[in-house]
Amino acid sequence: MNSLTSRVRHGAGVAVAALALVAATVAAAPAQAASEYIYPTHSRQVSDTFADHVKRGSSNPGTDYVVPVGTSVQAVRAGTVTMAGWYGDGGNTVRIDHGGGIVTEYLHNSALLVSNGQRVQQGESIARSGNTGSSTGPHLHIVLRINGVNVDFEKYVGTGSSAPVSSSALTYAAVLADGGTAIAKDDLYGSWTTLTGGVEKIVVAPTAAGPVIVVLLKNGTVLSKHGLGGTWTTQTSGARAIALTADETTGVSLAVLLSTGTLIAKTGLNAPWVTLTSGVSDVSIASDPVHGLTVAAVMGDSVVVKSGLFGGWVPIVSPAVRVAVASDPANGPTFVALSTTGAVWAKTGISAPWVTLTSGATSIAVASDPSTGPTVGAVQTNGDAIVKSGTLYAPWVGVVSHAKELVINSDPGRGPTMMYLSTEGGVAVKYGIGGTWTQITSGATDIALP
């Protein structure tokens, strides 16, 4: 990312041909938001996940739902039927074009209830499930394809409801170029609250008592507050970067990189500062109730990590210039590093091997939740923002162009939420990798998600 602060956010293999296809379509147009897809059957029981299909090298990876023969299959959203007939190994298949580069396919049916060219509505019965084609038992195989790239339907369906996803648990924040005014709001469509002026950077973390907001003023002072209407408390001075995380067990942890290169941190905003190390140029922190606090920093050209404020530093990779970490109770910490040459490396767990994800990047982002797993983002030198989710071996999906900064949040109910700052200062948010961007402000220099 473009700053240390904005990188801290709560926030076998794929076939060569598939990777080539993803590379060719990395600038994919946005699809509909996760909340706009419903489940195709009453069943939520998955027998084969999208990741399972990818690992086996499936030519048409999707998600398999276990349902008896004759179960109603419904369109996950409105569209036009472009195929209703026999589809080789897929048996009786329905394909629906939803517009905007979005296509769904429903395979192995016993009966088809629609015909080519027919317009269908979301929830309309289009087939009866079956066991036709190459199938080992009664089930529905659904494929979601965005601009020619198969993606994981489970990551887009969200809660399975067609109602708008609630954003009440999020706090959106930005710093405007005009005077460094910090603004924030809890509701995507709500009104902005002006927090303070003279701000360089802003970070947010969620707690049961509401969001914790920390700002770095242009004069190096660090302020914190609970809630949009809370009172500011001075934390320290002489700072050049801040990092924030929170979970219900560990509590709120704040790291501050001083102008001298010294890294200090505390767990609990009223706790005393602990000096962690010196010679630091980048920092990221994350926490979860199982693994506690994880601190990652760049010292010299090496990424070093520690568990808790008093753990020992462990070097994990070099040469690097940026680091980002996210953690959740099921998966533990996922580390993403940006090398000195623009390569992006990632791994889940300190002792795991590194996976090279891409090259030619200028910034990185990561989020993680127990259901989705890690979601990794990067902004490339041409301004294209790309994201992958669920596994480090998942294909990249292009989410937006002309990006200056990308931040990601993820939770089990909503999946990935993304915010990006354009090169022109516009700020937009969307739910799900294929979601629709909603612009929320302009003239910004920094952005934050919890």
Side-chain angles (χ1 to χ4, degrees):
M1 306 199 172
N2 298 305
S3 67
L4 304 180
T5 302
S6 58
R7 282 189 298 277
V8 183
R9 305 294 189 236
H10 277 106
V14 181
V16 173
L19 289 175
L21 176 61
V22 172
T25 57
V26 76
Q32 294 296 322
S35 61
E36 295 179 359
Y37 297 83
I38 63 172
Y39 280 97
T41 74
H42 62 78
S43 174
R44 304 294 185 269
Q45 182 182 351
V46 175
S47 59
D48 251 352
T49 66
F50 179 82
D52 291 333
H53 286 92
V54 170
K55 289 176 182 177
R56 288 199 305 271
S58 170
S59 61
N60 196 21
T63 303
D64 291 347
Y65 293 101
V66 179
V67 287
V69 172
T71 301
S72 175
V73 177
Q74 59 187 10
V76 299
R77 52 166 297 163
T80 301
V81 177
T82 57
M83 187 192 74
W86 191 263
Y87 186 46
D89 288 346
N92 289 320
T93 299
V94 175
R95 180 183 298 137
I96 300 176
D97 188 339
H98 305 285
I102 309 162
V103 173
T104 53
E105 292 177 353
Y106 312 76
L107 292 77
H108 307 303
N109 300 290
S110 60
L112 305 180
L113 307 180
V114 293
S115 56
N116 287 349
Q118 182 177 337
R119 179 72 180 176
V120 295
Q121 299 303 312
Q122 185 180 60
E124 183 176 339
S125 291
I126 58 174
R128 300 291 179 188
S129 66
N131 192 29
T132 60
S134 180
S135 174
T136 57
H139 73 287
L140 170 70
H141 179 87
I142 184 171
V143 170
L144 172 60
R145 191 173 298 120
I146 300 176
N147 293 320
V149 179
N150 289 39
V151 297
D152 190 348
F153 177 75
E154 283 278 306
K155 301 298 189 299
Y156 290 78
V157 70
T159 62
S161 168
S162 60
V165 175
S166 169
S167 61
S168 60
L170 291 177
T171 296
Y172 310 92
V175 174
L176 302 183
D178 184 12
T181 302
I183 58 176
K185 62 178 176 178
D186 287 327
D187 190 323
L188 182 63
Y189 300 101
S191 300
W192 288 102
T193 297
T194 299
L195 301 178
T196 189
V199 174
E200 183 74 21
K201 306 294 178 186
I202 186 168
V203 288
V204 182
T207 73
V212 172
I213 303 170
V214 178
V215 295
L216 170 63
L217 300 184
K218 293 181 178 181
N219 64 8
T221 301
V222 178
L223 305 178
S224 68
K225 69 181 330 188
H226 251 106
L228 302 187
T231 301
W232 289 111
T233 299
T234 300
Q235 290 291 337
T236 192
S237 59
R240 63 183 174 97
I242 50 177
L244 184 68
T245 186
D247 71 76
E248 58 268 34
T249 300
T250 308
V252 178
S253 296
L254 172 63
V256 172
L257 178 57
L258 300 177
S259 298
T260 59
T262 298
L263 180 62
I264 61 175
K266 60 166 68 178
T267 294
L269 295 180
N270 296 322
W273 288 105
V274 176
T275 298
L276 301 185
T277 191
S278 58
V280 174
S281 59
D282 193 25
V283 61
S284 179
I285 60 175
S287 63
D288 71 68
V290 174
H291 302 88
L293 175 66
T294 300
V295 183
V298 176
M299 288 196 296
D301 66 353
S302 295
V303 173
V304 295
V305 302
K306 65 158 55 187
S307 297
L309 298 182
F310 301 101
W313 289 106
V314 177
I316 57 174
V317 74
S318 66
V321 291
R322 300 285 183 265
V323 65
V325 61
S327 190
D328 72 73
N331 300 284
T334 294
F335 304 94
V336 181
L338 178 64
S339 80
T340 53
T341 61
V344 177
W345 305 313
K347 66 175 176 175
T348 298
I350 291 178
S351 60
W354 286 99
V355 179
T356 301
L357 302 185
T358 191
S359 59
T362 60
S363 70
I364 50 178
V366 64
S368 191
D369 74 72
S371 176
T372 305
T375 298
V376 179
V379 176
Q380 299 181 302
T381 53
N382 63 0
D384 287 342
I386 56 177
V387 174
K388 60 169 63 191
S389 188
T391 168
L392 299 181
Y393 297 96
W396 286 108
V397 177
V399 292
V400 74
S401 58
H402 304 292
K404 181 179 179 182
E405 181 181 346
L406 178 72
V407 294
I408 309 171
N409 165 288
S410 191
D411 65 67
R414 184 181 290 106
T417 298
M418 284 169 282
M419 178 187 286
Y420 92 97
L421 173 64
S422 76
T423 52
E424 294 80 24
V427 179
V429 173
K430 71 171 176 174
Y431 306 114
I433 291 177
T436 301
W437 290 106
T438 299
Q439 182 152 344
I440 56 175
T441 194
S442 58
T445 58
D446 190 51
I447 53 177
L449 279 174

